[in-house]
Amino acid sequence: MMTIRWPLALLFAVLLLLPLGLQDYLLHMAIQILIWGFVYTGWSVMGRFGQVSLGHGAFLGVGAYTTALLWNNFGLVPWIGIPIGVAFAVLLALVIGYPCFRLKVVGHYFALVTLALSQVVLLSIVAARDITGGSLGMTPNSVGQSSWLALQFTSKMQWYFVALAVWAFGLWVWVKVDRGMGRAAMEAVSEDETAAAAVGINVTREKLRVTVISAAMTAFGGALFGQYQMYLNPETLSGIGVSLQIVFAAIAGGMYSLLGPTVGALLTIALTEGLRIGFGTTLIGAANTIYGILLILFIIFMPRGITGFFGAWTKRRAATAAAAT
Amino acid sequence: MDIYLVEAIINGILLGGVLALLALGLNLIFGVVDVVWIAYAEMVMVGMYVIYWLHAYYGWPLPLACLVAVIGVGLLGILVHLLIIQPILGSAPINQLLATGGLLFFLQSFATLLFGTDFRNIGLRMPIIEIGDIFISFSRLIAFCVALAGAVILYFFLSRTHIGTAIRAISQDREIMGLMGVDERKVYVITSAVGGSLAGLAACLLVLQYDVHPFIGLSFGPITFMICVLGGLGNMIGGFVAAFLMSQIISVGGYYFSIELSYVFAFLFFIVLMFIRPQGILAK
């Protein structure tokens, strides 16, 4: 594990210096990549153990809307609002996760239950249009200037460093889960739940642990994205669409490696922006058409994602090189 | 008794027929090939566009356009199976679900790319039947009757034909059937074609009532999966019961509250029932 430290430190050094040379537009993209990279990393904390959730849109929406509603209606600053939003998401994860794991709702069934959950959150937000603005979305009240208290910044540079810090925190959580004892337990669970239970692993508790971590990260990311955009829309922050988008990006980047989900965010955002610039608005839907095809191809040919694919490739190269000497 | 409530209940029953047909097709594929086509409702959308273009744009007679849609979506079903599902049949089932998730993105965005996000209507005016003070839309009544007829035909196909028997046998024990001389690949392709055709048939019925747009699949796709799972795998009667239960929740809930809340109730009902009766509502 020592070997990956140096490249990672180098990467951070580059990322810290990066904004000095970037225009606002590129910074805007970098911020989005970091925030979504954080969310995708959150998804893969449970996704990598075969717990495929199609309901992360629910956590995203709960985090974002709780924070914004508390701010607009009660003047509660995001420093309090975000923890409350995260707490709601964790509660939701427990309410859904506990019975699912106790009653062995797994695989397809788990995916469909979580899918229903994300639809419940989406439709509830739309139905509560008196306070959430419904499908039209809502705007958090602006303080008009950069304010740490309100977590609103007029300069992209400040946002970049906030997003960078949060993203780095996400990687730290991922590494914690990766190195912890829970990882071995979860790998056993994802292979065979009954056998795992037989050797004394508390299957429900282990699953709940990764689910709660994952839900909390996703809600945090959603709240942060709402703060950054200063606009919340139920379609982009909850429901089946964004849930699938999360799954796709995590898989395309590679959910089994540290930087995989971030690569997924980079890929998807670069693709969307590239097509938008290249074709303008004449080709609405072009980006998602290509996403769709790519997702199918990735699952058929590269189920471990880009990072997984190249990881295996470099390992093979190293192995042949070692064999040659 | 409240006349509007009666109307809501009748509308619920009529909606239930179409939902049952949708769930039937999905259930067939789920039960036989063991794959959830997350993009099933998007295939219905493709069928609706086919009918829209052939009928409203090129002026084909509606029944002919519908026939083309049924066959066309059936062929699309075969393509989906051969191109997407077959290469990954051996991998984890969740991968197959996700691959069809890619198909969902693809179909939705490709339709947006080709046709824009306009709502399109085949412009057919159907009479409204009046019984006492209750109004019933004729197009919904037709949809209900055709959906039931489709279900009955499927039932006879599965119970009376040789290939239908093979399909049912595979859904019960896929390892043994290979040894009994049943060609699994062929059965999968035929099942996918039948499942696709049912989506095409559903398209014919939905196009009478709703406008076509690229995101229409999202409005009834999720509910179809829920019905399919609620009914229990391969349990057609269960699927029917589930479809009518859900459509009543949606229709009556929509009458008392709002349409979004009624869907919230339907999804919550699904989640709770998954915990109480994970094998489906009619499970023993």
Side-chain angles (χ1 to χ4, degrees):
Chain A
M1 276 297 147
M2 282 305 284
T3 47
I4 68 161
R5 284 241 171 108
W6 280 110
L8 212 56
L10 193 70
L11 176 71
F12 267 97
V14 170
L15 285 176
L16 278 175
L17 294 173
L18 190 70
L20 300 176
L22 288 185
Q23 303 151 310
D24 266 8
Y25 170 67
L26 290 174
L27 265 182
H28 169 63
M29 279 183 62
I31 294 163
Q32 290 192 53
I33 290 167
L34 289 172
I35 296 180
W36 284 112
F38 173 73
V39 170
Y40 301 156
T41 306
W43 184 87
S44 68
V45 164
M46 68 187 287
R48 60 184 293 214
F49 299 118
Q51 310 296 313
V52 174
S53 153
L54 298 183
H56 268 49
F59 306 130
L60 206 64
V62 165
Y65 270 87
T66 308
T67 308
L69 286 173
L70 287 174
W71 167 247
N72 278 10
N73 296 323
F74 303 105
L76 272 181
V77 292
W79 296 95
I80 303 170
I82 291 177
I84 295 177
V86 169
F88 279 160
V90 166
L91 197 67
L92 197 61
L94 288 173
V95 167
I96 291 296
Y98 184 76
C100 268
F101 302 149
R102 277 307 294 224
L103 300 167
K104 284 202 165 183
V105 175
V106 292
H108 282 145
Y109 293 92
F110 181 67
L112 287 175
V113 166
T114 52
L115 181 77
L117 177 70
S118 70
Q119 287 299 97
V120 165
V121 170
L122 167 68
L123 293 165
S124 302
I125 293 172
V126 176
R129 53 174 66 79
D130 292 339
I131 53 167
T132 61
S135 317
L136 295 175
M138 66 177 285
T139 316
N141 293 337
S142 166
V143 292
Q145 62 191 33
S146 284
S147 156
W148 273 99
L149 194 63
L151 212 61
Q152 292 177 9
F153 305 107
T154 45
S155 115
K156 290 262 185 277
M157 189 79 88
Q158 269 168 314
W159 262 116
Y160 177 83
F161 286 111
V162 170
L164 185 66
V166 170
W167 173 75
F169 167 70
L171 295 189
W172 178 78
V173 172
W174 196 94
V175 170
K176 274 280 164 203
V177 172
D178 190 52
R179 306 240 170 114
M181 278 300 288
R183 176 192 166 174
M186 273 313 292
E187 271 174 357
V189 169
S190 72
E191 289 288 326
D192 187 337
E193 274 192 25
T194 317
V199 296
I201 293 169
N202 187 337
V203 174
T204 305
R205 212 191 63 197
E206 292 300 333
K207 279 180 155 185
L208 272 181
R209 206 170 61 90
V210 288
T211 308
V212 162
I213 294 173
S214 178
M217 287 172 77
T218 309
F220 186 18
L224 202 67
F225 190 67
Q227 287 295 123
Y228 173 64
Q229 291 267 321
M230 291 296 277
Y231 171 69
L232 284 75
N233 186 299
E235 297 288 340
T236 53
L237 284 171
S238 61
I240 178 174
V242 72
S243 301
L244 284 175
Q245 176 202 322
I246 293 173
V247 179
F248 166 49
I251 288 181
M255 59 177 159
Y256 301 102
S257 55
L258 176 60
L259 291 176
T262 310
V263 171
L266 180 75
L267 180 85
T268 49
I269 290 169
L271 188 67
T272 318
E273 288 296 305
L275 286 166
R276 199 172 63 81
I277 294 166
F279 299 105
T281 48
T282 50
L283 280 181
I284 302 172
N288 273 333
T289 309
I290 296 176
Y291 278 173
I293 296 174
L294 280 179
L295 177 53
I296 298 170
L297 292 178
F298 269 115
I299 289 174
I300 295 177
F301 297 109
M302 278 193 217
R304 297 181 74 86
I306 295 176
T307 49
F309 183 77
F310 283 106
W313 183 71
T314 41
K315 240 179 234 158
R316 256 205 318 275
R317 286 255 314 219
T320 33
T325 51
Chain B
M1 195 167 170
D2 188 351
I3 201 85
Y4 296 106
L5 179 62
V6 177
E7 213 173 276
I9 292 174
I10 292 176
N11 275 332
I13 295 173
L14 297 182
L15 174 69
V18 180
L19 288 181
L21 184 73
L22 274 169
L24 212 57
L26 196 63
N27 207 339
L28 189 67
I29 295 160
F30 198 176
V32 175
V33 196
D34 199 19
V35 171
V36 179
W37 282 7
I38 272 281
Y40 196 67
E42 276 62 32
M43 296 178 62
V44 176
M45 183 259 303
V46 171
M48 289 172 81
Y49 269 115
V50 168
I51 298 168
Y52 170 80
W53 284 109
L54 290 182
H55 177 68
Y57 196 78
Y58 292 106
W60 288 31
L62 188 59
L64 194 62
C66 285
L67 188 67
V68 173
V70 172
I71 296 171
V73 182
L75 291 176
L76 182 63
I78 296 180
L79 275 182
V80 168
H81 181 75
L82 292 181
L83 294 180
I84 300 177
I85 304 298
Q86 190 149 294
I88 49 174
L89 258 183
S91 69
I94 204 72
N95 280 2
Q96 299 149 13
L97 183 149
L98 293 174
T100 60
L103 182 69
L104 181 152
F105 266 119
F106 171 73
L107 290 177
Q108 216 175 58
S109 339
F110 199 53
T112 313
L113 196 62
L114 291 181
F115 313 124
T117 47
D118 305 344
F119 283 55
R120 293 167 196 272
N121 189 298
I122 58 167
L124 198 67
R125 291 273 168 275
M126 288 272 201
I128 291 184
I129 305 167
E130 202 179 330
I131 305 168
D133 288 329
I134 300 169
F135 295 94
I136 300 168
S137 138
F138 189 59
S139 54
R140 289 191 179 186
L141 195 62
I142 292 186
F144 178 76
C145 296
V146 174
L148 283 194
V152 169
I153 293 171
L154 181 68
Y155 176 78
F156 280 110
F157 168 71
L158 288 180
S159 58
R160 297 292 155 85
T161 64
H162 186 73
I163 185 75
T165 312
I167 287 175
R168 282 186 302 134
I170 287 255
S171 73
Q172 280 168 10
D173 194 328
R174 78 191 62 244
E175 268 106 48
I176 295 294
M177 284 326 288
L179 301 175
M180 297 284 171
V182 173
D183 184 357
E184 279 180 48
R185 285 168 168 247
K186 197 175 121 195
V187 171
Y188 286 168
V189 169
I190 290 172
T191 307
S192 302
V194 174
S197 308
L198 286 172
L201 184 59
C204 303
L205 306 179
L206 287 168
V207 85
L208 297 176
Q209 306 169 34
Y210 300 98
D211 293 346
V212 199
H213 57 99
F215 299 97
I216 190 164
L218 290 184
S219 51
F220 52 86
I223 201 85
T224 308
F225 310 130
M226 309 300 143
I227 290 171
C228 187
V229 174
L230 268 187
L233 267 189
N235 188 338
M236 290 203 172
I237 298 166
F240 255 79
V241 174
F244 285 105
L245 264 177
M246 287 296 233
S247 64
Q248 282 307 330
I249 294 177
I250 292 167
S251 189
V252 176
Y255 166 65
Y256 279 116
F257 303 98
S258 70
I259 195 73
E260 292 92 10
L261 272 184
S262 68
Y263 273 93
V264 169
F265 294 144
F267 287 129
L268 287 177
F269 176 72
F270 165 76
I271 294 175
V272 170
L273 265 182
M274 275 307 286
F275 297 147
I276 304 173
R277 305 199 71 97
Q279 302 300 318
I281 35 177
L282 292 188
K284 284 165 200 96

PDB file of all heavy atoms in Angstrom, chain B residues 135-161:
ATOM      1  N   PHE B 135     -69.125   9.002 -15.968  1.00  0.00           N
ATOM      2  CA  PHE B 135     -68.522   9.087 -17.297  1.00  0.00           C
ATOM      3  C   PHE B 135     -67.358   8.119 -17.390  1.00  0.00           C
ATOM      4  O   PHE B 135     -66.501   8.076 -16.511  1.00  0.00           O
ATOM      5  CB  PHE B 135     -68.026  10.507 -17.549  1.00  0.00           C
ATOM      6  CG  PHE B 135     -69.134  11.505 -17.595  1.00  0.00           C
ATOM      7  CD1 PHE B 135     -69.497  12.216 -16.464  1.00  0.00           C
ATOM      8  CD2 PHE B 135     -69.840  11.704 -18.779  1.00  0.00           C
ATOM      9  CE1 PHE B 135     -70.537  13.123 -16.507  1.00  0.00           C
ATOM     10  CE2 PHE B 135     -70.881  12.621 -18.830  1.00  0.00           C
ATOM     11  CZ  PHE B 135     -71.233  13.329 -17.692  1.00  0.00           C
ATOM     12  N   ILE B 136     -67.365   7.336 -18.453  1.00  0.00           N
ATOM     13  CA  ILE B 136     -66.262   6.397 -18.648  1.00  0.00           C
ATOM     14  C   ILE B 136     -65.653   6.662 -20.020  1.00  0.00           C
ATOM     15  O   ILE B 136     -66.365   6.743 -21.016  1.00  0.00           O
ATOM     16  CB  ILE B 136     -66.751   4.940 -18.580  1.00  0.00           C
ATOM     17  CG1 ILE B 136     -67.384   4.665 -17.218  1.00  0.00           C
ATOM     18  CG2 ILE B 136     -65.600   3.995 -18.820  1.00  0.00           C
ATOM     19  CD1 ILE B 136     -68.124   3.367 -17.172  1.00  0.00           C
ATOM     20  N   SER B 137     -64.342   6.794 -20.044  1.00  0.00           N
ATOM     21  CA  SER B 137     -63.684   7.038 -21.322  1.00  0.00           C
ATOM     22  C   SER B 137     -63.680   5.749 -22.132  1.00  0.00           C
ATOM     23  O   SER B 137     -63.295   4.680 -21.645  1.00  0.00           O
ATOM     24  CB  SER B 137     -62.272   7.552 -21.069  1.00  0.00           C
ATOM     25  OG  SER B 137     -61.383   6.951 -21.950  1.00  0.00           O
ATOM     26  N   PHE B 138     -64.115   5.852 -23.388  1.00  0.00           N
ATOM     27  CA  PHE B 138     -64.230   4.684 -24.250  1.00  0.00           C
ATOM     28  C   PHE B 138     -62.861   4.086 -24.529  1.00  0.00           C
ATOM     29  O   PHE B 138     -62.690   2.871 -24.559  1.00  0.00           O
ATOM     30  CB  PHE B 138     -64.918   5.091 -25.553  1.00  0.00           C
ATOM     31  CG  PHE B 138     -65.292   3.932 -26.425  1.00  0.00           C
ATOM     32  CD1 PHE B 138     -66.153   2.942 -25.956  1.00  0.00           C
ATOM     33  CD2 PHE B 138     -64.788   3.818 -27.716  1.00  0.00           C
ATOM     34  CE1 PHE B 138     -66.500   1.872 -26.760  1.00  0.00           C
ATOM     35  CE2 PHE B 138     -65.131   2.746 -28.513  1.00  0.00           C
ATOM     36  CZ  PHE B 138     -65.994   1.770 -28.038  1.00  0.00           C
ATOM     37  N   SER B 139     -61.855   4.974 -24.687  1.00  0.00           N
ATOM     38  CA  SER B 139     -60.523   4.469 -25.009  1.00  0.00           C
ATOM     39  C   SER B 139     -59.983   3.628 -23.848  1.00  0.00           C
ATOM     40  O   SER B 139     -59.322   2.611 -24.060  1.00  0.00           O
ATOM     41  CB  SER B 139     -59.578   5.628 -25.312  1.00  0.00           C
ATOM     42  OG  SER B 139     -59.586   6.547 -24.258  1.00  0.00           O
ATOM     43  N   ARG B 140     -60.316   4.021 -22.625  1.00  0.00           N
ATOM     44  CA  ARG B 140     -59.856   3.223 -21.485  1.00  0.00           C
ATOM     45  C   ARG B 140     -60.547   1.870 -21.437  1.00  0.00           C
ATOM     46  O   ARG B 140     -59.948   0.866 -21.069  1.00  0.00           O
ATOM     47  CB  ARG B 140     -60.128   3.962 -20.182  1.00  0.00           C
ATOM     48  CG  ARG B 140     -59.238   5.145 -20.023  1.00  0.00           C
ATOM     49  CD  ARG B 140     -59.328   5.696 -18.627  1.00  0.00           C
ATOM     50  NE  ARG B 140     -58.431   6.827 -18.495  1.00  0.00           N
ATOM     51  CZ  ARG B 140     -58.196   7.451 -17.366  1.00  0.00           C
ATOM     52  NH1 ARG B 140     -58.808   7.060 -16.278  1.00  0.00           N
ATOM     53  NH2 ARG B 140     -57.362   8.452 -17.326  1.00  0.00           N
ATOM     54  N   LEU B 141     -61.826   1.900 -21.827  1.00  0.00           N
ATOM     55  CA  LEU B 141     -62.584   0.651 -21.835  1.00  0.00           C
ATOM     56  C   LEU B 141     -61.996  -0.308 -22.868  1.00  0.00           C
ATOM     57  O   LEU B 141     -61.790  -1.495 -22.596  1.00  0.00           O
ATOM     58  CB  LEU B 141     -64.048   0.959 -22.139  1.00  0.00           C
ATOM     59  CG  LEU B 141     -65.036  -0.164 -21.837  1.00  0.00           C
ATOM     60  CD1 LEU B 141     -65.028  -0.487 -20.355  1.00  0.00           C
ATOM     61  CD2 LEU B 141     -66.439   0.228 -22.288  1.00  0.00           C
ATOM     62  N   ILE B 142     -61.701   0.219 -24.057  1.00  0.00           N
ATOM     63  CA  ILE B 142     -61.072  -0.613 -25.092  1.00  0.00           C
ATOM     64  C   ILE B 142     -59.759  -1.174 -24.573  1.00  0.00           C
ATOM     65  O   ILE B 142     -59.465  -2.365 -24.688  1.00  0.00           O
ATOM     66  CB  ILE B 142     -60.782   0.214 -26.366  1.00  0.00           C
ATOM     67  CG1 ILE B 142     -62.094   0.604 -27.028  1.00  0.00           C
ATOM     68  CG2 ILE B 142     -59.916  -0.576 -27.330  1.00  0.00           C
ATOM     69  CD1 ILE B 142     -61.873   1.286 -28.352  1.00  0.00           C
ATOM     70  N   ALA B 143     -58.952  -0.270 -23.971  1.00  0.00           N
ATOM     71  CA  ALA B 143     -57.644  -0.691 -23.468  1.00  0.00           C
ATOM     72  C   ALA B 143     -57.802  -1.833 -22.476  1.00  0.00           C
ATOM     73  O   ALA B 143     -57.082  -2.832 -22.534  1.00  0.00           O
ATOM     74  CB  ALA B 143     -56.935   0.487 -22.814  1.00  0.00           C
ATOM     75  N   PHE B 144     -58.778  -1.685 -21.600  1.00  0.00           N
ATOM     76  CA  PHE B 144     -59.007  -2.710 -20.589  1.00  0.00           C
ATOM     77  C   PHE B 144     -59.361  -4.048 -21.240  1.00  0.00           C
ATOM     78  O   PHE B 144     -58.789  -5.084 -20.914  1.00  0.00           O
ATOM     79  CB  PHE B 144     -60.141  -2.242 -19.665  1.00  0.00           C
ATOM     80  CG  PHE B 144     -60.511  -3.225 -18.609  1.00  0.00           C
ATOM     81  CD1 PHE B 144     -59.702  -3.395 -17.502  1.00  0.00           C
ATOM     82  CD2 PHE B 144     -61.664  -3.977 -18.721  1.00  0.00           C
ATOM     83  CE1 PHE B 144     -60.039  -4.297 -16.516  1.00  0.00           C
ATOM     84  CE2 PHE B 144     -62.009  -4.886 -17.735  1.00  0.00           C
ATOM     85  CZ  PHE B 144     -61.199  -5.049 -16.635  1.00  0.00           C
ATOM     86  N   CYS B 145     -60.290  -4.001 -22.206  1.00  0.00           N
ATOM     87  CA  CYS B 145     -60.740  -5.246 -22.832  1.00  0.00           C
ATOM     88  C   CYS B 145     -59.614  -5.915 -23.611  1.00  0.00           C
ATOM     89  O   CYS B 145     -59.412  -7.127 -23.528  1.00  0.00           O
ATOM     90  CB  CYS B 145     -61.929  -4.976 -23.761  1.00  0.00           C
ATOM     91  SG  CYS B 145     -63.370  -4.387 -22.871  1.00  0.00           S
ATOM     92  N   VAL B 146     -58.850  -5.101 -24.362  1.00  0.00           N
ATOM     93  CA  VAL B 146     -57.760  -5.684 -25.153  1.00  0.00           C
ATOM     94  C   VAL B 146     -56.690  -6.260 -24.220  1.00  0.00           C
ATOM     95  O   VAL B 146     -56.134  -7.330 -24.475  1.00  0.00           O
ATOM     96  CB  VAL B 146     -57.149  -4.634 -26.099  1.00  0.00           C
ATOM     97  CG1 VAL B 146     -55.935  -5.205 -26.813  1.00  0.00           C
ATOM     98  CG2 VAL B 146     -58.186  -4.183 -27.108  1.00  0.00           C
ATOM     99  N   ALA B 147     -56.421  -5.566 -23.119  1.00  0.00           N
ATOM    100  CA  ALA B 147     -55.429  -6.062 -22.167  1.00  0.00           C
ATOM    101  C   ALA B 147     -55.855  -7.419 -21.615  1.00  0.00           C
ATOM    102  O   ALA B 147     -55.054  -8.356 -21.550  1.00  0.00           O
ATOM    103  CB  ALA B 147     -55.232  -5.056 -21.026  1.00  0.00           C
ATOM    104  N   LEU B 148     -57.128  -7.534 -21.270  1.00  0.00           N
ATOM    105  CA  LEU B 148     -57.616  -8.821 -20.757  1.00  0.00           C
ATOM    106  C   LEU B 148     -57.507  -9.893 -21.825  1.00  0.00           C
ATOM    107  O   LEU B 148     -57.058 -11.011 -21.560  1.00  0.00           O
ATOM    108  CB  LEU B 148     -59.078  -8.691 -20.305  1.00  0.00           C
ATOM    109  CG  LEU B 148     -59.323  -8.010 -18.963  1.00  0.00           C
ATOM    110  CD1 LEU B 148     -60.743  -8.273 -18.499  1.00  0.00           C
ATOM    111  CD2 LEU B 148     -58.332  -8.491 -17.917  1.00  0.00           C
ATOM    112  N   ALA B 149     -57.888  -9.525 -23.065  1.00  0.00           N
ATOM    113  CA  ALA B 149     -57.811 -10.492 -24.157  1.00  0.00           C
ATOM    114  C   ALA B 149     -56.358 -10.933 -24.351  1.00  0.00           C
ATOM    115  O   ALA B 149     -56.081 -12.130 -24.535  1.00  0.00           O
ATOM    116  CB  ALA B 149     -58.373  -9.873 -25.444  1.00  0.00           C
ATOM    117  N   GLY B 150     -55.439  -9.956 -24.287  1.00  0.00           N
ATOM    118  CA  GLY B 150     -54.018 -10.285 -24.440  1.00  0.00           C
ATOM    119  C   GLY B 150     -53.561 -11.265 -23.373  1.00  0.00           C
ATOM    120  O   GLY B 150     -52.848 -12.234 -23.653  1.00  0.00           O
ATOM    121  N   ALA B 151     -54.028 -11.044 -22.145  1.00  0.00           N
ATOM    122  CA  ALA B 151     -53.639 -11.925 -21.046  1.00  0.00           C
ATOM    123  C   ALA B 151     -54.176 -13.334 -21.272  1.00  0.00           C
ATOM    124  O   ALA B 151     -53.473 -14.323 -21.043  1.00  0.00           O
ATOM    125  CB  ALA B 151     -54.156 -11.355 -19.726  1.00  0.00           C
ATOM    126  N   VAL B 152     -55.428 -13.412 -21.766  1.00  0.00           N
ATOM    127  CA  VAL B 152     -56.023 -14.733 -21.997  1.00  0.00           C
ATOM    128  C   VAL B 152     -55.269 -15.468 -23.102  1.00  0.00           C
ATOM    129  O   VAL B 152     -54.942 -16.656 -22.987  1.00  0.00           O
ATOM    130  CB  VAL B 152     -57.522 -14.582 -22.347  1.00  0.00           C
ATOM    131  CG1 VAL B 152     -58.092 -15.900 -22.844  1.00  0.00           C
ATOM    132  CG2 VAL B 152     -58.289 -14.071 -21.136  1.00  0.00           C
ATOM    133  N   ILE B 153     -54.938 -14.734 -24.181  1.00  0.00           N
ATOM    134  CA  ILE B 153     -54.188 -15.358 -25.283  1.00  0.00           C
ATOM    135  C   ILE B 153     -52.847 -15.872 -24.774  1.00  0.00           C
ATOM    136  O   ILE B 153     -52.432 -16.990 -25.077  1.00  0.00           O
ATOM    137  CB  ILE B 153     -53.993 -14.359 -26.434  1.00  0.00           C
ATOM    138  CG1 ILE B 153     -55.343 -14.047 -27.076  1.00  0.00           C
ATOM    139  CG2 ILE B 153     -53.027 -14.911 -27.469  1.00  0.00           C
ATOM    140  CD1 ILE B 153     -55.301 -12.924 -28.077  1.00  0.00           C
ATOM    141  N   LEU B 154     -52.175 -15.035 -23.959  1.00  0.00           N
ATOM    142  CA  LEU B 154     -50.887 -15.447 -23.415  1.00  0.00           C
ATOM    143  C   LEU B 154     -51.055 -16.717 -22.570  1.00  0.00           C
ATOM    144  O   LEU B 154     -50.235 -17.640 -22.633  1.00  0.00           O
ATOM    145  CB  LEU B 154     -50.290 -14.323 -22.572  1.00  0.00           C
ATOM    146  CG  LEU B 154     -48.928 -14.637 -21.967  1.00  0.00           C
ATOM    147  CD1 LEU B 154     -47.878 -14.734 -23.057  1.00  0.00           C
ATOM    148  CD2 LEU B 154     -48.523 -13.596 -20.942  1.00  0.00           C
ATOM    149  N   TYR B 155     -52.141 -16.746 -21.807  1.00  0.00           N
ATOM    150  CA  TYR B 155     -52.381 -17.906 -20.966  1.00  0.00           C
ATOM    151  C   TYR B 155     -52.493 -19.176 -21.807  1.00  0.00           C
ATOM    152  O   TYR B 155     -51.879 -20.193 -21.504  1.00  0.00           O
ATOM    153  CB  TYR B 155     -53.664 -17.692 -20.148  1.00  0.00           C
ATOM    154  CG  TYR B 155     -54.043 -18.894 -19.316  1.00  0.00           C
ATOM    155  CD1 TYR B 155     -53.388 -19.169 -18.118  1.00  0.00           C
ATOM    156  CD2 TYR B 155     -55.026 -19.774 -19.757  1.00  0.00           C
ATOM    157  CE1 TYR B 155     -53.703 -20.284 -17.380  1.00  0.00           C
ATOM    158  CE2 TYR B 155     -55.356 -20.897 -19.019  1.00  0.00           C
ATOM    159  CZ  TYR B 155     -54.690 -21.151 -17.832  1.00  0.00           C
ATOM    160  OH  TYR B 155     -55.012 -22.261 -17.105  1.00  0.00           O
ATOM    161  N   PHE B 156     -53.251 -19.071 -22.906  1.00  0.00           N
ATOM    162  CA  PHE B 156     -53.409 -20.261 -23.748  1.00  0.00           C
ATOM    163  C   PHE B 156     -52.112 -20.612 -24.457  1.00  0.00           C
ATOM    164  O   PHE B 156     -51.775 -21.782 -24.623  1.00  0.00           O
ATOM    165  CB  PHE B 156     -54.559 -20.070 -24.754  1.00  0.00           C
ATOM    166  CG  PHE B 156     -55.894 -20.298 -24.122  1.00  0.00           C
ATOM    167  CD1 PHE B 156     -56.770 -19.247 -23.901  1.00  0.00           C
ATOM    168  CD2 PHE B 156     -56.269 -21.576 -23.710  1.00  0.00           C
ATOM    169  CE1 PHE B 156     -58.002 -19.459 -23.295  1.00  0.00           C
ATOM    170  CE2 PHE B 156     -57.491 -21.793 -23.087  1.00  0.00           C
ATOM    171  CZ  PHE B 156     -58.357 -20.734 -22.887  1.00  0.00           C
ATOM    172  N   PHE B 157     -51.357 -19.585 -24.841  1.00  0.00           N
ATOM    173  CA  PHE B 157     -50.065 -19.834 -25.476  1.00  0.00           C
ATOM    174  C   PHE B 157     -49.163 -20.611 -24.525  1.00  0.00           C
ATOM    175  O   PHE B 157     -48.512 -21.587 -24.906  1.00  0.00           O
ATOM    176  CB  PHE B 157     -49.423 -18.499 -25.870  1.00  0.00           C
ATOM    177  CG  PHE B 157     -47.981 -18.617 -26.278  1.00  0.00           C
ATOM    178  CD1 PHE B 157     -47.634 -19.224 -27.478  1.00  0.00           C
ATOM    179  CD2 PHE B 157     -46.964 -18.132 -25.463  1.00  0.00           C
ATOM    180  CE1 PHE B 157     -46.307 -19.342 -27.853  1.00  0.00           C
ATOM    181  CE2 PHE B 157     -45.641 -18.240 -25.827  1.00  0.00           C
ATOM    182  CZ  PHE B 157     -45.312 -18.849 -27.028  1.00  0.00           C
ATOM    183  N   LEU B 158     -49.147 -20.204 -23.270  1.00  0.00           N
ATOM    184  CA  LEU B 158     -48.248 -20.841 -22.312  1.00  0.00           C
ATOM    185  C   LEU B 158     -48.731 -22.226 -21.894  1.00  0.00           C
ATOM    186  O   LEU B 158     -47.936 -23.111 -21.599  1.00  0.00           O
ATOM    187  CB  LEU B 158     -48.082 -19.963 -21.064  1.00  0.00           C
ATOM    188  CG  LEU B 158     -47.245 -18.707 -21.265  1.00  0.00           C
ATOM    189  CD1 LEU B 158     -47.150 -17.931 -19.971  1.00  0.00           C
ATOM    190  CD2 LEU B 158     -45.857 -19.043 -21.768  1.00  0.00           C
ATOM    191  N   SER B 159     -50.065 -22.413 -21.872  1.00  0.00           N
ATOM    192  CA  SER B 159     -50.541 -23.691 -21.346  1.00  0.00           C
ATOM    193  C   SER B 159     -50.840 -24.705 -22.446  1.00  0.00           C
ATOM    194  O   SER B 159     -50.814 -25.905 -22.189  1.00  0.00           O
ATOM    195  CB  SER B 159     -51.785 -23.471 -20.476  1.00  0.00           C
ATOM    196  OG  SER B 159     -52.793 -22.849 -21.240  1.00  0.00           O
ATOM    197  N   ARG B 160     -51.109 -24.275 -23.673  1.00  0.00           N
ATOM    198  CA  ARG B 160     -51.546 -25.229 -24.692  1.00  0.00           C
ATOM    199  C   ARG B 160     -50.517 -25.526 -25.779  1.00  0.00           C
ATOM    200  O   ARG B 160     -50.660 -26.501 -26.486  1.00  0.00           O
ATOM    201  CB  ARG B 160     -52.828 -24.719 -25.382  1.00  0.00           C
ATOM    202  CG  ARG B 160     -54.013 -24.582 -24.468  1.00  0.00           C
ATOM    203  CD  ARG B 160     -54.489 -25.954 -24.005  1.00  0.00           C
ATOM    204  NE  ARG B 160     -55.208 -25.874 -22.734  1.00  0.00           N
ATOM    205  CZ  ARG B 160     -56.496 -25.597 -22.631  1.00  0.00           C
ATOM    206  NH1 ARG B 160     -57.206 -25.367 -23.695  1.00  0.00           N
ATOM    207  NH2 ARG B 160     -57.061 -25.555 -21.460  1.00  0.00           N
ATOM    208  N   THR B 161     -49.509 -24.673 -25.938  1.00  0.00           N
ATOM    209  CA  THR B 161     -48.562 -24.954 -27.023  1.00  0.00           C
ATOM    210  C   THR B 161     -47.318 -25.621 -26.459  1.00  0.00           C
ATOM    211  O   THR B 161     -47.020 -25.536 -25.261  1.00  0.00           O
ATOM    212  CB  THR B 161     -48.145 -23.663 -27.747  1.00  0.00           C
ATOM    213  OG1 THR B 161     -47.455 -22.842 -26.810  1.00  0.00           O
ATOM    214  CG2 THR B 161     -49.343 -22.922 -28.314  1.00  0.00           C
TER     215      THR B 161
END
